[in-house]
Amino acid sequence: TSTGKHVITQGSVNSNVRKVQASLVLGTGIAFHYGVQSGEGGFVLQNSSSVVGNLYSNGPITGSGNSIYGNVVSAGPSGIINGIHATGTVYAHTINNSTIDKDAYYITKTSTTVAGTSYPGSVDQATTSLPISDAQIDEWESDAEDGGTISSPCPYIVSSNVVIGPRKINCDMEIRGSGTQVTLTGPLWVVGNFTTKNSPTIKVDPSFGAKSIPIIADNPANRTGSGIISLQNNTTFQGSGSPTSFIFLISQNNSSETGGSTDAITMSQGTGAMILYAGHGQITLQQSVNIKEATAYKIIMQNTAQVRYDTGLPSTLFDSGPGGGFDINSWTEIP
């Protein structure tokens, strides 16, 4: 097919025949097994924010009775969970002031209600690496640069409909305006800050089928103060039309990892088929935000922000990257 292969397999036993068709897509698969995953910086829930899906953190997880609709892990010997309501099973070295609808695995526990079975003295869960490597991001940046570089005007402002990508934007980039529609035909590398405001729509070109496209904000010359993504005023993100197609918004800002307080990604109002990723920085989600997945060194959720994990994420595909091959996109029994 235009994007991969269809494989039909048939078997028979005693004249009973079954046939299965699988759709294979050529590309690199990146697995996201959690609605939220954070590094050593941890995860903070404030106000009435919530997560629909599992949460895994290499650092502390704190809330004030906020709901996590899934399993929750704070890994390692310093793992601590405080002030959350989990509908699933919880794993942490220390659990405080929480409500757990299923089982709890821990070393110490205080002021916590466990509806399932408690397992004191349990082994700490191992810390884990975040799912997108710097090497993969470097390769996407190279792919973007191969499509050409825009160095003027700067900042690069988009306020009308445009089809773009792959492309390197050699300065800050801003997409703005109600009715503005940006169609992505390849990765974007913004060597500066990436901002959206006033209700634009950003979508993946329909020809990409099940594949996703990254937008990367990365200024290698200033990763503590630049490479910032700011999503404002009801920006809408759309995939290609396939349920497994997303826009990945990636910041390489590392202020949080190096002890600073600058947000790598902020989002205040918006929704759609997007994944936020800041492997070395901090993501802050505010107000009425509804996204598919968030991964960062540290994550803060405020107001009514919600992460709602999408079951398509374990098979997210891209055009390029180490280990590229055929991945199973879907399968079904056929007559």
Side-chain angles (χ1 to χ4, degrees), residues 36-44 57 130 132 134 137 217-218 222-229 249-266 276-285 294-301:
V36 170
Q37 184 175 357
S38 63
E40 285 76 8
F43 181 75
V44 180
S57 176
L130 302 184
I132 303 179
D134 287 339
I137 294 172
D218 178 22
N222 182 16
R223 281 182 169 150
T224 59
S226 185
I228 295 167
I229 296 175
L249 293 153
I250 299 171
S251 169
Q252 287 289 73
N253 179 280
N254 63 5
S255 174
S256 184
E257 190 177 59
T258 56
S261 58
T262 299
D263 283 324
I265 301 176
T266 58
L276 304 182
Y277 193 91
H280 305 282
Q282 177 175 293
I283 293 176
T284 297
L285 304 176
T295 296
Y297 175 80
K298 182 177 181 179
I299 299 174
I300 299 174
M301 293 181 63

Side-chain angles (χ1 to χ4, degrees), residues 2 14 18 47 82 92 114 123 128 130 150 160 162-163 168 178 237 275 277 310 317 327 330:
S2 61
N14 296 328
R18 298 189 72 177
N47 310 112
N82 185 71
V114 179
V123 175
T128 185
L130 302 184
I150 295 174
S160 59
V162 67
V163 178
K168 177 182 179 182
S178 177
F237 293 86
I275 288 88
Y277 193 91
D310 194 291
L317 303 174
D327 296 90
S330 64

Side-chain angles (χ1 to χ4, degrees), residues 6 15 17 20-21 24 58 122 124 134 139 142 144 156 164 167 174-175 187-188 209 223-224 234 238 263 271 282 285:
H6 281 165
S15 300
V17 178
V20 171
Q21 176 177 286
L24 307 185
N58 289 344
S122 297
D124 295 324
D134 287 339
E139 182 158 348
S142 179
Y156 183 64
I164 188 170
R167 198 63 53 91
E174 182 178 302
I175 300 173
L188 298 184
R223 281 182 169 150
T224 59
N234 293 309
Q238 299 174 359
D263 283 324
T271 187
Q282 177 175 293
L285 304 176

Side-chain angles (χ1 to χ4, degrees), residues 117 235 314:
T117 304
T235 304

Side-chain angles (χ1 to χ4, degrees), residues 9-323:
T9 306
Q10 180 176 300
S12 62
V13 176
N14 296 328
S15 300
N16 296 310
V17 178
R18 298 189 72 177
K19 186 183 295 185
V20 171
Q21 176 177 286
S23 173
L24 307 185
V25 178
L26 182 61
T28 298
I30 295 177
F32 288 81
H33 300 294
Y34 316 103
V36 170
Q37 184 175 357
S38 63
E40 285 76 8
F43 181 75
V44 180
L45 284 151
Q46 299 174 350
N47 310 112
S48 57
S49 57
S50 61
V51 174
V52 180
N54 299 327
L55 190 160
Y56 201 108
S57 176
N58 289 344
I61 299 171
T62 60
S64 53
N66 302 76
S67 295
I68 300 172
Y69 299 93
N71 299 330
V72 184
V73 178
S74 180
S78 60
I80 182 169
I81 291 174
N82 185 71
I84 63 105
H85 175 198
T87 64
T89 296
V90 168
Y91 305 79
H93 187 94
T94 303
I95 305 174
N96 297 326
N97 306 311
S98 296
T99 300
I100 302 167
D101 291 352
K102 292 187 177 180
D103 301 338
Y105 296 79
Y106 55 89
I107 298 295
T108 59
K109 171 176 69 69
T110 60
S111 302
T112 293
T113 300
V114 179
T117 304
S118 293
Y119 296 93
S122 297
V123 175
D124 295 324
Q125 295 294 302
T127 57
T128 185
S129 58
L130 302 184
I132 303 179
S133 68
D134 287 339
Q136 173 64 85
I137 294 172
D138 289 344
E139 182 158 348
W140 286 331
E141 290 179 350
S142 179
D143 291 342
E145 189 171 23
D146 287 344
T149 299
I150 295 174
S151 298
S152 178
C154 281
Y156 183 64
I157 297 175
V158 177
S159 56
S160 59
N161 293 356
V162 67
V163 178
I164 188 170
R167 198 63 53 91
K168 177 182 179 182
I169 312 298
N170 213 21
C171 58
D172 294 346
M173 180 178 184
E174 182 178 302
I175 300 173
R176 67 188 186 193
S178 177
T180 297
Q181 182 171 283
V182 175
T183 302
L184 301 176
T185 53
L188 298 184
W189 174 18
V190 179
V191 188
N193 300 329
F194 177 78
T195 303
T196 68
K197 58 176 62 175
N198 300 329
S199 307
T201 297
I202 305 172
K203 68 176 187 177
V204 177
D205 188 271
S207 67
F208 273 72
K211 294 178 182 177
S212 299
I213 292 180
I215 298 175
I216 303 163
D218 178 22
N219 183 354
N222 182 16
R223 281 182 169 150
T224 59
S226 185
I228 295 167
I229 296 175
S230 179
L231 309 174
Q232 308 170 17
N233 308 118
N234 293 309
T235 304
T236 298
F237 293 86
Q238 299 174 359
S240 66
S242 166
T244 58
S245 176
F246 304 94
I247 296 174
F248 276 60
L249 293 153
I250 299 171
S251 169
Q252 287 289 73
N253 179 280
N254 63 5
S255 174
S256 184
E257 190 177 59
T258 56
S261 58
T262 299
D263 283 324
I265 301 176
T266 58
M267 186 172 183
S268 55
Q269 298 186 345
T271 187
M274 73 186 121
I275 288 88
L276 304 182
Y277 193 91
H280 305 282
Q282 177 175 293
I283 293 176
T284 297
L285 304 176
Q286 305 167 327
Q287 299 181 40
S288 300
V289 171
N290 194 335
I291 67 172
K292 298 297 184 183
E293 204 276 348
T295 296
Y297 175 80
K298 182 177 181 179
I299 299 174
I300 299 174
M301 293 181 63
Q302 301 171 336
N303 308 115
T304 58
Q306 184 178 83
V307 175
R308 182 174 291 272
Y309 178 73
D310 194 291
T311 55
L313 287 174
S315 59
T316 301
L317 303 174
F318 297 86
D319 270 333
S320 64

